[in-house]
Every structure is written in structure tokens, then in C-alpha cells.
């Protein structure tokens, strides 16, 4: 493919044995990294080298490696998912770096996402927000009305889809100086608010989601917009505005 | 003895009548019953949500940090349903027929018909949950077509249909977790099943953060752990996808069926180099708009590989649109295996276009679609004489709306702009159609152990045609298991809680612990990935897209030797009681080794070409598959025979086609 050359890099990686132990940055040198490799493939290569040298490999989260599961995280050179915009870490390729570069790799930094080990953090707070209200209360019998019985304007369906495209990776929280989860929660609220399905419980939904978000220790939104900039899926700040509106109406009811 | 438990009666009435006869568990008795669900992708999440909603106590397990990350999320193209919204003659029967035919007459009629019957309900269910499917301007659901069919029955949400369906199932599951009906165990991996009195009564799971082994008991266990494509190391599967849960139940008595049926997907991004960890699929829906070609002249192909020519410089008459040439009726929309083999045939003949040492790859070209859609858009906007630039601009906008995220994904990975130059694609391992043998109730040969979605084998054809695997996962979880599991559990309302301090649990936990310790104390010299890559190499070369008797015989022996070397020389760092990804991989690769050998054995005994299994010895003069319906019209179900995989016993479930006449599969 395009570049097809190898580079040598220096890595400064956050190592932390477990949640209770204090962590620190360790330095590694890695040679012959193909610029066609993804960032995670580069970490695989590092781990192969570490294991061969009888050293403990670096723990990091990853799974689908095609930008959709939301499992990969990583602060790379001070930015969530690294230097490119609108991508996950698995979509970041080593062609974004130069021979001899030093790259800093850290876990998500947020109180609500405690470190489990090395670069792995606990994002279960997101699940609990979802469990508090991120659903339509319809039973699973399949015997609901015909799918075409309720027309949905194309524009609304498309915007709902754009909000629903959130992958729950947590880059928004990690990039926010307040550690706010409003972009994530706003995406959930918007996804449903834009569709006729589930409208009847909209009031309860937004109240529950906001309550849970606060309980989890996420900060508030001060409209800095860092979340939107670092979101790999381009989830828009409009969703935060929509959640605020929904919340306001809910409290007025 | 294999009893498929297919109910008697008219095909279209089987499921309806059968449901009326199944036993029920009354609502007040359901809280007395525990159910374990392993895996929370489309099949597992929908099953756990449905059973939780019914009032059973459900414990659900996944190895990721959240059920929302299951690999179902990566499915791009769509989900089929026989709704006939497009008035193009679709019906339950046609969906059933296409699926059986697509499966090369190696699937069960009754299962596939049931799948087609409930397909419409799936769409209704998902829309009610707030899944934002694509809509037309009248507000109605939009459809597109997919490989292997001549109607538009595929519902979609851009190129992220799997994501939206999974988020639907995840939200239903989240609702049940929030209400306390389902207990969710994230970052847990099932490492063994526990049988008491011959029945499935629990599992041993490892908490992947603390490394603790946990005992969980239940009255029934559902395995929905996905497919085993990662046996090839390079596949489109997520890195964590594994066969462990399915393989552990196999070792405890569940038969494993048709392991050799592996779907090779025709449109993946080609391999870039030796450090590659996985392959990325480009949705098959792209074949609706893209035309597949390689250069007609060998010297052009060589010039492209050498970087001296660009694909856009090859004149129209010098391009070989080989699918359109060979299969005029279906063209670029032939089924996956047909398209894959045709691409391999061209590359093997020296027409591949990739400029690396594999020389593999064909073009998927959108230029004619850009022009035709651009003209349409201009016309619709009242511009009946658009300039070429206007046409191309509008055409690109159309493509972006339909496939934007896929084009972006391709560009991120390859650093090439597919709006300007054709995509390069090549086949890769994608979906496994074999799996744990189950009867009509989705119950394995272990009583009380059910298997759903990609982990089972049952709706083989459904998994082979595009946009059908999602349908099967949700059908199993939402609409089949709630009935059949209840029928089984009706006998358990007086059993009471299953204790976990019994010899059966002791034994299972001890055996898991000893295999973990063996790896950690092994002190070998090579990494787990070293062995996994070697295994993948054998599998792709000898049990891959095309197999032959000699290669398969060699594969069985080579895997045997590799497995011995693996146990002798693997090095697994770290400890048992911590987050230890190397240990997790080692335990999974151990199972892949055994399964890989069984896949080769299964392919060796199936002396025919059928359903994603292509034996080079069995093809006609034009390279098309030669099925043998006299001798191989059966499901091959393997019974474990101890640590020597060669001691597995093959059982045959003969497939009776009562309603469909078996015919040659012809896409010309």
C-alpha cells in the first residue's frame, strides 16, 4: 500500500500493576515498525518483544480493530485516540508518526474511569447510565405494531442514527477538563428523543440518565467542546443541548 | 443417537403448532429458576433480555468490559426480513427458499423456515426498541439487496446495521439489568461447564480482572459465544473472539457439527504485511454499487503491481469484470463463496493487483455508479444537462450518503481515497457456519445446554447469504429460546437452587486451575502469538478457501505436531490472579489447536464441494462446485473422544428435504 516503510520509535508508556498500586511512565525502544501497521499492531509488536525478553507485556483494551466496538482507548501524545481526528486508536496508523519519534501513551484520565491495570480503565459507569434509562420500555415479544405503521421522517431517522452512532469509548470524558459524560449521555437521550418510539417515557428517561450521570461522579459541561473535537464518531454538541432542553422540560412537568 | 426433534406436520405450520404444545413455566414459578447466558452479542443479549423479562433469574457473561462491545456490533450491511415492503414478490417462502439454496442444501428445512417466519417480527421488534433504520422520504423503511437474492429485503442503518441492532438488544438487556432481572458479569470468561446428573447445571468462569475462578450454578446454560474464525489468526473477527465456551461444552459431551463450513467473505481489505493482526471487512452491500474487475491483460496487471500503471489508466475494454462475465444473472451479487473463489482464481492465474509479496487483490470500482447516480440526482433536481463535473460531484455525494463510513474506514486503513481510485479487496475468513450441534429446540446433546447464534450450526444457509447472520442471532434469542428453554425448564420448578459446593463443581474448577497453572509454570521460549500465527498459516493454506485431500491430511498431522510443541515450548508471563491477557490468549489458542485439527478432519471426510467448503477434487470443468447429494446429504456431528482428537466419532444427521427439490445451484 501507500507508504510501506519501517521506522524506529521511542515509547513512554504508563505502567500500573493494578488499581491500588501507584503507576509510572516507563521507556521502551521499538525498531522496525511498519508504517502500514495500526497503533495497536505496534503495541502487539512491543508486547512480543517484551515477552521474548521475559518482561511483562503492556495491558491495553482492544477488540474489533475496525473502529466500531469502542473498546480501544489510550491517550496518545496528550490526545484521546492520538493525533488524527474522527478515529479510534485501532484506526490510527503508524504512518502518522516519523522515524525517531517519541510517543507518550497513557490511559484515559478521569475520576469516573479508574485504572485497572497499565492502560486499561473501568468504564462500567457508562453501562450504569444506560441501565438507568437508555432504552424503550417495550417487551421483547416481537408482537408489536408493524414496523411501517409509524412513519418516521427521514431527517429525524438520520439524526437519530447520527446520535446512536456513539461507540461508548469514553474519549469525550477523557478529553473533558471536567470529566463530563454529557456528550455520551446526550447521544443516548437524543437517539430516543428524535424518534416517535419511546416518547411516552421521555421525561423519566432524561431524569434518570442525568441522575445516574451525577451519581457516577462525572463532572458538568462548561461548553468547552473538547469532547466533540476528540469524538471518533463525530457526535455533535447539539446532543448536549438537546439533553439540556429535554431535562428542562422534564423538570418543568 | 441424534434426534433433531423436528416436529411433524406441514412445513409452514410446524413452528406455530409446536409452540402450542410446548410446556410452560407459570409466572410465579419463573423466579425460582436460574439461567446462565454466556456471550452477549445479538443472540446472547436478546436471549438474556427476553428471559429476564419473562421473570427468570438470568446471569449473563461477556469477556469484554460491556455487552455493547460484542462483535455483532461490527456487522455492516443489513438484516433480511420477508416483509415485501418493496412489492418485488418477496415472501416467507422465498426467503426460506433462497436461504436453503444459498446453504447448498446442507441446512435443515424446518429451522430455516422458522427463521424466515419470524424475520418480520425482528424488524417490528427492533423498530419498537428505537433502532434507527434507514427511511425513505415518505417515512417508510428503506431496503436494499444483497448477494444471492433477486429481491430487496435487506433492512439497514447506513453501514452500521450490526451496531444499531446490537445497541437495541443491549438496551433491552440494560433495562433488565437495571430492574434486577439480569445480573451482568462483564470481563468474565467461561472456562468450563459443570454437569450434574448428566445435565448442564453451571459454569466455571474466570474473573478477568482478579483472576479468581468463580462457580455459578443454574438450571439451564445458554452458550451464545459467537464463531471460531480466529482459528485462522487473520480473520475479520474481533481479536477476542474465540471458541472456548463452545469447545469446553464439546469436551463435556456436546457434538460439534460441520466445523469445515467456513464462510470466506469476498470483500475484505487485502493483507498489508507480516505484522498484521486482523483483517477488515468492507460491507458486501458495496457490491450493489461497485463493479469487480482485474485487468484483462497480464502485462497490465504486472505494471499495476510494479506501480507503473494506475487502475484509472486501464481502458474500459481492457478490464475483465469477471463476475459479470461468468454469472450474468447475478453479476456482482453472486453469493459470497462464488465471488471469493472467482477472485482467487483470477489472482492465482496472475491477474492480482496488490503491489506486495502476496500479489492478491482485485478492484471494486465505483466509477460507473458515481456517474449513473450523479446523472439521476441532477435530473431529479431539474438539471437535465449537467456537466461532467456536476455529475461526478452529485454522484460522490450519493455514494457518501449510502456508504460514507465504509469509504472513510477504507481510507483510514489504506491511505487511499476510494472516491478517486477503485478499492482493493480480497477474500478473508469471516463467519463460521459450523458450530455446536443443536436440535430444533437449539439444545445441544447435553441436556439443559442450549446454543444460539453463530455458536450453533443449525441455520447454515442463513449464515452464508449476506444479511442473514444478524437475523439468525436475533431470531434465536428473541423468538426461539424463550419458548424452548421454558419447555425444558418446566421440569425444574421443584428442583430448587443448585448448590455449587458439590464434587462436580470441585472437579471442574480444579481442572481449570490446573490448566492455568500448567501454562504459567511451563517456562517455554515462544509467545502464544507465535503458535497462533503458525496455526493460522496451516489453516489458511490447507484448510482455507480451497482444500484437497493431500493438504488436509498434512494439516491434521502438522497441527498435531504444532499442538505438542505448543504445550512444550509456550511461554506465558504473569500470574493467575491478575489481569493477564497473555494467559487468556494461551487458554484460547489451546482450544483453537484442537478445533483446527477437527476442521481439517471434517473437511477430509466431506468428499464433495458444498456450502463454503470447496474440495478441489470435486469441481466441474468450469470450476463450479460439485455437490454429492447421495453420499453427503448430512450434518456431520463429531463426538469428543478424549485428548487425542483423532479419536473423535462422526455421527450423521441425514437431511430430509420434504418441501424443496434439491437442485444444482446455478447463479448463471
Amino acid at each position: 500500500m501507500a507508504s510501506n516503510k519501517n521506522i524506529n520509535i521511542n515509547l513512554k508508556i504508563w505502567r500500573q500493576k493494578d488499581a491500588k498500586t501507584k503507576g509510572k511512565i516507563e521507556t521502551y525502544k521499538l525498531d522496525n515498525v511498519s508504517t502500514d501497521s495500526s497503533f495497536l499492531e505496534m503495541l502487539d509488536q512491543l508486547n512480543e518483544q517484551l515477552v521474548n525478553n521475559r518482561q511483562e507485556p503492556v495491558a491495553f483494551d482492544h477488540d474489533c480493530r475496525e473502529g466500531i466496538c469502542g473498546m480501544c482507548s489510550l491517550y496518545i501524545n496528550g490526545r484521546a485516540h492520538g493525533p488524527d481526528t474522527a478515529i479510534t486508536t485501532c484506526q490510527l496508523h503508524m504512518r502518522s508518526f516519523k522515524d525517531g519519534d517519541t510517543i507518550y501513551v497513557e490511559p484515559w484520565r478521569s475520576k469516573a474511569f479508574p485504572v485497572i491495570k497499565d492502560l486499561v480503565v473501568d468504564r462500567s459507569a457508562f453501562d450504569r447510565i444506560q441501565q438507568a434509562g437508555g432504552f424503550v420500555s417495550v417487551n421483547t415479544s416481537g408482537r408489536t405494531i408493524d414496523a411501517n405503521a409509524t412513519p418516521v421522517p427521514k431527517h429525524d431517522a438520520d439524526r437519530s442514527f447520527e446520535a446512536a452512532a456513539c461507540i461508548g469509548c469514553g474519549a469525550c470524558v477523557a478529553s473533558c477538563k471536567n470529566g463530563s459524560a454529557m456528550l455520551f449521555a446526550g447521544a443516548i437521550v437524543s437517539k430516543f428523543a428524535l424518534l416517535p418510539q419511546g416518547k411516552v417515557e421521555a421525561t423519566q428517561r432524561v431524569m434518570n440518565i442525568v441522575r445516574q450521570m451525577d451519581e457516577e461522579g462525572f463532572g458538568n459541561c462548561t461548553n468547552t467542546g473538547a469532547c466533540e473535537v476528540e469524538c471518533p464518531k463525530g457526535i455533535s454538541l447539539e446532543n448536549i443541548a438537546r439533553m439540556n432542553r429535554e431535562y428542562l422540560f422534564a423538570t418543568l412537568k | 443417537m441424534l434426534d433433531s426433534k423436528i416436529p411433524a406436520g406441514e412445513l409452514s405450520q410446524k413452528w406455530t403448532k409446536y409452540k402450542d404444545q410446548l410446556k410452560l413455566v407459570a409466572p410465579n414459578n419463573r423466579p425460582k429458576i436460574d439461567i446462565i447466558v454466556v456471550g452477549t452479542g445479538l443472540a446472547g443479549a436478546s436471549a438474556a433480555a427476553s428471559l429476564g423479562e419473562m421473570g427468570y433469574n438470568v446471569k449473563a457473561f461477556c469477556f469484554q468490559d460491556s455487552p455493547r462491545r460484542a462483535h455483532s456490533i461490527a456487522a455492516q450491511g443489513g438484516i433480511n426480513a420477508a416483509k415485501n415492503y418493496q412489492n418485488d414478490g418477496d415472501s416467507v417462502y422465498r426467503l426460506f427458499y433462497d436461504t436453503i439454496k444459498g446453504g447448498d442444501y446442507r441446512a435443515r428445512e424446518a429451522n430455516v423456515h422458522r427463521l424466515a417466519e419470524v424475520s418480520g417480527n425482528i424488524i417490528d421488534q427492533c423498530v419498537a426498541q428505537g433502532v434507527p433504520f434507514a427511511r425513505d422520504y415518505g417515512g417508510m423503511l428503506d431496503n436494499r439487496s444483497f448477494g444471492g437474492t433477486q429481491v430487496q429485503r435487506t433492512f439497514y442503518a447506513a453501514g452500521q446495521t450490526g451496531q444499531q441492532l446490537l445497541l437495541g438488544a443491549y438496551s433491552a438487556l440494560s433495562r433488565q439489568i437495571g430492574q434486577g432481572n439480569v445480573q451482568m458479569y462483564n470481563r468474565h470468561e467461561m472456562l468450563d461447564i459443570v454437569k450434574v446428573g448428566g445435565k448442564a447445571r453451571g459454569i466455571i468462569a474466570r474473573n478477568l480482572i482478579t483472576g479468581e475462578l468463580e462457580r455459578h450454578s443454574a438450571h439451564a446454560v445458554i452458550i451464545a459465544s459467537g464463531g471460531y474464525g480466529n482459528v485462522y489468526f487473520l480473520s475479520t473477527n474481533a481479536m477476542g473472539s474465540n471458541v472456548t465456551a463452545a469447545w469446553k461444552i464439546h469436551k463435556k459431551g456436546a457434538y460439534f457439527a460441520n466445523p469445515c463450513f467456513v464462510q470466506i467473505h469476498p470483500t475484505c481489505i487485502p493483507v498489508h504485511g507480516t505484522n498484521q493482526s486482523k483483517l477488515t471487512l468492507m460491507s458486501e452491500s458495496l457490491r450493489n454499487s461497485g463493479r469487480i474487475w482485474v485487468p484483462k491483460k497480464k502485462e497490465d496487471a504486472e505494471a499495476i503491481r510494479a506501480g507503473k500503471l494506475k487502475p484509472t489508466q486501464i481502458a474500459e475494454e481492457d478490464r475483465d469484470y469477471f463476475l459479470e462475465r461468468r454469472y450474468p444473472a447475478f453479476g456482482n451479487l453472486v453469493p459470497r463463496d462464488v465471488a471469493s473463489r472467482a477472485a482467487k482464481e483470477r489472482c492465482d492465474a496472475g491477474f492480482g493487483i496488490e503491489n506486495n509479496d502476496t500479489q492478491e487483490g482485485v478492484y471494486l470500482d465505483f466509477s460507473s455508479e458515481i456517474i449513473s447516480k450523479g446523472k439521476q440526482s441532477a435530473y431529479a433536481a431539474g438539471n437535465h444537462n449537467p456537466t461532467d463535473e456536476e455529475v461526478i460531484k452529485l454522484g460522490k455525494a450519493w455514494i457518501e450518503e449510502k456508504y460514507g463510513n465504509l469509504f472513510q474506514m477504507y481510507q483510514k486503513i489504506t491511505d487511499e481515497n476510494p472516491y478517486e481510485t477503485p478499492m482493493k479487496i480480497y477474500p478473508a475468513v469471516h463467519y463460521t457456519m459450523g458450530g455446536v450441534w443443536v436440535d430444533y429446540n437449539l439444545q445441544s446433546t447435553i441436556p439443559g445446554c442450549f446454543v444460539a447464534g453463530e455458536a450453533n450450526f443449525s441455520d447454515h444457509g442463513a449464515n452464508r447469504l449476506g444479511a442473514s447472520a444478524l437475523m439468525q442471532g436475533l431470531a434465536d434469542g428473541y423468538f426461539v429460546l424463550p419458548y424452548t428453554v421454558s419447555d425444558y425448564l418446566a421440569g425444574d420448578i421443584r428442583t430448587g437452587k443448585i448448590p455449587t459446593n458439590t464434587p462436580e463443581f470441585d472437579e471442574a474448577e480444579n481442572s481449570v486451575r490446573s490448566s492455568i497453572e500448567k501454562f504459567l509454570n511451563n517456562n517455554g521460549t515462544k509467545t502464544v502469538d507465535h503458535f497462533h500465527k503458525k496455526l493460522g498459516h496451516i489453516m489458511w493454506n490447507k484448510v482455507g478457501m480451497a482444500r484437497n485431500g493431500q493438504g488436509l491430511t498434512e494439516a491434521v498431522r502438522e497441527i498435531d505436531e504444532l499442538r505438542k510443541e505448543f504445550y512444550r515450548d509456550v511461554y506465558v508471563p504473569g500470574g493467575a490472579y491478575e489481569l493477564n491477557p497473555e494467559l487468556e490468549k494461551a487458554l484460547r489458542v489451546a482450544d483453537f489447536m484442537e478445533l483446527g485439527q477437527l476442521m481439517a478432519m471434517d473437511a477430509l471426510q466431506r468428499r464433495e464441494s458444498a456450502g463454503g467448503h470447496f474440495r478441489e477434487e470435486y469441481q466441474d470443468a468450469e470450476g463450479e462446485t460439485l455437490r454429492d447429494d447421495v453420499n453427503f446429504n448430512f450434518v456431520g456431528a463429531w463426538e469428543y473422544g478424549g485428548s487425542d482428537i483423532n479419536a473423535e466419532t462422526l455421527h450423521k444427521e441425514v437431511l430430509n428435504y420434504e418441501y424443496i427439490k434439491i437442485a444444482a445451484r446455478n447463479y448463471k
Side-chain angles (χ1 to χ4, degrees):
Chain A
M1 292 189 181
S3 42
N4 214 0
K5 62 182 172 70
N6 288 345
I7 56 174
N8 302 334
I9 50 169
N10 300 301
L11 290 157
K12 303 249 180 203
I13 300 182
W14 183 261
R15 302 302 306 261
Q16 184 172 338
K17 194 175 171 357
D18 52 39
K20 290 171 205 131
T21 315
K22 213 174 151 209
K24 63 170 192 284
I25 294 270
E26 295 276 2
T27 306
Y28 304 95
K29 193 168 164 13
L30 189 61
D31 293 343
N32 289 320
V33 179
S34 162
T35 51
D36 280 337
S37 293
S38 72
F39 197 84
L40 299 182
E41 284 166 349
M42 180 276 291
L43 288 178
D44 291 340
Q45 198 179 329
L46 171 72
N47 278 346
E48 190 83 1
Q49 179 177 307
L50 290 174
V51 176
N52 279 327
N53 293 336
R54 290 293 205 255
Q55 287 170 287
E56 181 134 4
V58 181
F60 60 98
D61 266 333
H62 62 97
D63 201 18
C64 82
R65 297 206 176 186
E66 47 189 88
I68 192 74
C69 77
M71 187 110 173
C72 63
S73 43
L74 303 191
Y75 237 69
I76 299 162
N77 286 342
R79 286 184 64 183
H81 297 303
D84 266 345
T85 53
I87 54 168
T88 53
T89 302
C90 64
Q91 293 173 305
L92 174 66
H93 279 70
M94 295 310 291
R95 65 178 78 94
S96 300
F97 300 93
K98 291 192 306 290
D99 191 34
D101 272 358
T102 296
I103 307 170
Y104 282 83
V105 192
E106 298 160 85
W108 278 168
R109 297 181 292 195
S110 175
K111 201 178 88 190
F113 291 162
V115 172
I116 294 172
K117 182 177 183 173
D118 295 341
L119 305 170
V120 177
V121 301
D122 178 0
R123 284 169 286 192
S124 55
F126 271 11
D127 280 324
R128 289 187 293 272
I129 291 175
Q130 193 85 30
Q131 288 151 16
F135 46 77
V136 175
S137 296
V138 57
N139 68 24
T140 55
S141 69
R143 277 170 184 67
T144 156
I145 52 170
D146 184 85
N148 257 352
T150 313
V152 182
K154 178 172 167 28
H155 183 63
D156 292 351
D158 286 351
R159 283 192 306 155
S160 171
F161 168 78
E162 283 164 18
C166 166
I167 57 173
C169 65
C172 49
V173 174
S175 338
C176 175
K177 62 178 180 175
N178 307 322
S180 168
M182 297 264 286
L183 195 68
F184 170 78
I188 300 175
V189 169
S190 290
K191 168 188 168 176
F192 294 114
L194 288 159
L195 294 174
Q197 290 82 16
K199 262 270 166 12
V200 288
E201 53 184 340
T203 306
Q204 209 51 48
R205 175 180 303 119
V206 70
M207 298 287 271
N208 287 343
I209 285 178
V210 170
R211 174 185 46 76
Q212 190 66 36
M213 206 169 66
D214 291 343
E215 267 176 34
E216 296 292 345
F218 291 107
N220 214 333
C221 172
T222 49
N223 292 314
T224 334
C227 55
E228 187 186 46
V229 174
E230 296 296 0
C231 173
K233 296 297 154 185
I235 305 295
S236 137
L237 283 178
E238 272 173 43
N239 294 300
I240 295 182
R242 190 174 293 104
M243 179 167 73
N244 284 336
R245 217 157 44 232
E246 293 275 319
Y247 186 72
L248 179 66
F249 289 139
T251 52
L252 291 176
K253 273 188 185 168
Chain B
M1 189 54 209
L2 281 172
D3 179 5
S4 62
K5 302 217 173 89
I6 295 168
E10 167 65 29
L11 182 68
S12 63
Q13 291 301 308
K14 277 185 200 285
W15 177 233
T16 308
K17 289 198 171 155
Y18 185 62
K19 276 192 294 184
D20 289 342
Q21 292 157 16
L22 288 172
K23 293 194 281 289
L24 302 172
V25 178
N28 58 325
N29 282 326
R30 293 177 204 155
K32 298 175 194 162
I33 289 176
D34 302 320
I35 301 173
I36 283 171
V37 180
V38 178
T40 47
L42 283 179
S46 55
S50 303
L51 294 163
E53 183 180 275
M54 289 170 82
Y56 294 110
N57 293 315
V58 178
K59 289 179 169 187
F61 296 79
C62 73
F63 69 77
Q64 297 94 343
D65 72 332
S66 163
R68 67 174 299 146
R69 317 240 189 257
H71 198 51
S72 306
I73 206 157
Q76 297 167 351
I79 178 166
N80 286 337
K83 284 278 204 182
N84 196 30
Y85 284 157
Q86 304 306 331
N87 201 26
D88 51 9
D90 199 15
S91 64
V92 167
Y93 183 83
R94 278 194 199 271
L95 174 52
F96 157 69
Y97 176 80
D98 283 348
T99 308
I100 288 280
K101 179 185 167 199
D104 237 350
Y105 307 93
R106 294 293 175 262
R108 270 195 208 132
E109 273 188 336
N111 283 61
V112 174
H113 197 279
R114 173 173 67 187
L115 178 69
E117 276 173 78
V118 304
S119 64
N121 289 111
I122 297 176
I123 305 302
D124 299 341
Q125 179 66 41
C126 294
V127 166
Q129 284 168 348
V131 171
F133 284 115
R135 300 266 171 175
D136 63 22
Y137 284 99
M140 299 294 141
L141 290 157
D142 199 7
N143 293 103
R144 57 188 175 200
S145 57
F146 246 70
T149 65
Q150 290 173 309
V151 293
Q152 287 187 288
R153 64 161 71 102
T154 306
F155 295 78
Y156 66 101
Q160 285 151 259
T161 316
Q163 177 192 33
Q164 294 308 315
L165 294 174
L166 182 68
L167 292 182
Y170 164 66
S171 68
L173 176 61
S174 295
R175 177 170 166 244
Q176 297 306 319
I177 297 170
Q179 291 175 357
N181 299 328
V182 177
Q183 273 180 280
M184 188 68 219
Y185 294 83
N186 298 327
R187 293 198 197 264
H188 274 67
E189 182 154 35
M190 166 182 159
L191 291 177
D192 208 356
I193 192 163
V194 181
K195 278 164 66 175
V196 180
K199 293 178 178 175
R201 289 301 198 192
I203 64 168
I204 304 295
R206 182 168 179 268
N207 178 330
L208 298 180
I209 297 177
T210 64
E212 294 291 338
L213 296 181
E214 298 173 3
R215 302 174 179 199
H216 296 274
S217 68
H219 299 86
V221 175
I222 297 169
I223 305 293
S225 54
Y228 50 83
N230 271 345
V231 70
Y232 291 86
F233 188 75
L234 283 181
S235 82
T236 64
N237 287 16
M239 297 301 286
S241 298
N242 65 82
V243 76
T244 290
W247 194 252
K248 296 307 186 201
I249 67 170
H250 174 58
K251 290 175 96 163
K252 286 269 176 89
Y255 293 2
F256 206 100
N258 295 343
C260 78
F261 284 145
V262 173
Q263 179 199 98
I264 311 286
H265 197 289
T267 53
C268 298
I269 299 176
V271 173
H272 68 67
T274 47
N275 284 333
Q276 186 139 3
S277 59
K278 72 155 287 182
L279 297 169
T280 300
L281 178 129
M282 299 309 295
S283 167
E284 188 178 27
S285 64
L286 293 169
R287 287 202 275 151
N288 277 307
S289 298
R291 300 178 69 196
I292 294 175
W293 63 274
V294 291
K296 239 179 217 167
K297 300 185 215 151
K298 229 173 223 174
E299 56 269 30
D300 283 352
E302 280 159 12
I304 282 177
R305 289 201 295 266
K308 289 177 191 151
L309 262 183
K310 288 187 179 137
T312 44
Q313 293 170 311
I314 308 285
E316 191 60 26
E317 61 270 21
D318 291 330
R319 301 175 177 193
D320 176 14
Y321 295 94
F322 55 91
L323 290 177
E324 298 168 35
R325 167 168 61 78
R326 285 175 65 173
Y327 310 98
F330 283 76
N332 293 297
L333 291 177
V334 290
R336 293 175 172 177
D337 61 320
V338 177
S340 295
R341 273 198 308 278
K344 181 180 193 304
E345 188 276 329
R346 283 293 81 193
C347 293
D348 289 350
F351 295 91
I353 49 80
E354 186 61 272
N355 61 350
N356 63 21
D357 53 1
T358 69
Q359 307 198 348
E360 289 167 342
V362 299
Y363 287 123
L364 178 61
D365 194 331
F366 298 89
S367 53
S368 26
E369 185 82 342
I370 286 174
I371 291 167
S372 98
K373 293 299 178 199
K375 280 184 182 157
Q376 273 181 26
S377 303
Y379 197 90
N383 180 1
H384 293 192
N385 280 311
T387 62
D388 288 354
E389 290 83 58
E390 283 171 327
V391 166
I392 286 173
K393 192 172 164 229
L394 287 167
K396 283 180 183 166
W398 186 91
I399 291 273
E400 187 174 4
E401 164 146 9
K402 198 113 180 167
Y403 308 109
N405 72 308
L406 302 173
F407 274 53
Q408 185 220 19
M409 186 198 276
Y410 181 86
Q411 184 159 10
K412 290 291 177 200
I413 292 171
T414 64
D415 208 23
E416 287 181 354
N417 180 352
Y419 292 98
E420 304 295 338
T421 184
M423 284 185 181
K424 293 174 193 166
I425 53 159
Y426 197 67
V429 171
H430 181 50
Y431 195 97
T432 50
M433 294 165 293
V436 179
W437 185 89
V438 288
D439 62 18
Y440 189 68
N441 299 321
L442 306 184
Q443 187 167 215
S444 70
T445 41
I446 300 174
C449 179
F450 295 78
V451 187
E454 191 178 351
N456 76 26
F457 89 101
S458 67
D459 301 8
H460 167 58
N463 307 334
R464 205 168 132 273
L465 289 180
S468 289
L470 300 182
M471 175 171 69
Q472 193 216 338
L474 290 179
D476 287 359
Y478 282 136
F479 305 132
V480 179
L481 287 174
Y483 295 96
T484 60
V485 171
S486 293
D487 177 69
Y488 170 80
L489 290 173
D492 257 335
I493 55 174
R494 290 193 187 81
T495 305
K497 203 97 192 143
I498 312 285
T500 56
N501 58 350
T502 58
E504 292 90 347
F505 275 92
D506 290 344
E507 197 200 320
E509 187 184 318
N510 288 339
S511 105
V512 170
R513 196 180 307 279
S514 83
S515 64
I516 288 174
E517 281 165 6
K518 220 189 275 171
F519 277 122
L520 293 174
N521 298 331
N522 197 45
N523 214 18
T525 64
K526 296 195 177 74
T527 64
V528 176
D529 277 356
H530 165 87
F531 289 101
H532 195 175
K533 285 177 181 173
K534 274 197 149 175
L535 173 66
H537 196 68
I538 299 170
M539 294 300 293
W540 180 247
N541 287 328
K542 294 181 174 167
V543 200
M545 229 188 302
R547 304 102 186 248
N548 59 55
Q550 193 197 335
L552 290 167
T553 311
E554 286 165 13
V556 171
R557 199 191 58 239
E558 287 170 24
I559 298 169
D560 224 19
E561 285 162 12
L562 184 67
R563 192 171 148 230
K564 288 187 189 114
E565 193 194 331
F566 171 69
Y567 282 108
R568 205 169 50 233
D569 201 23
V570 73
Y571 169 59
V572 181
Y577 298 100
E578 60 183 9
L579 179 67
N580 187 343
E582 286 293 311
L583 174 63
E584 292 166 28
K585 283 196 286 187
L587 293 165
R588 293 169 190 164
V589 169
D591 295 331
F592 280 139
M593 293 267 182
E594 297 179 359
L595 170 74
Q597 194 180 331
L598 188 67
M599 288 166 74
M601 284 162 57
D602 189 48
L604 196 56
Q605 66 82 21
R606 193 165 280 279
R607 292 188 301 278
E608 65 161 353
S609 292
H613 161 68
F614 188 79
R615 279 283 296 265
E616 286 166 350
E617 303 96 317
Y618 306 97
Q619 55 180 312
D620 67 14
E622 291 174 349
E624 306 295 335
T625 56
L626 273 185
R627 260 193 354 253
D628 179 350
D629 296 323
V630 176
N631 295 306
F632 291 94
N633 183 25
F634 61 78
V635 173
W638 295 88
E639 181 184 359
Y640 189 68
S643 61
D644 179 7
I645 299 298
N646 295 298
E648 296 242 352
T649 314
L650 179 67
H651 300 267
K652 297 175 182 175
E653 178 200 338
V654 175
L655 293 161
N656 295 314
Y657 284 91
E658 292 177 53
Y659 295 89
I660 280 193
K661 199 172 158 293
I662 296 190
R665 204 159 54 93
N666 184 349
Y667 290 91
K668 296 193 168 170

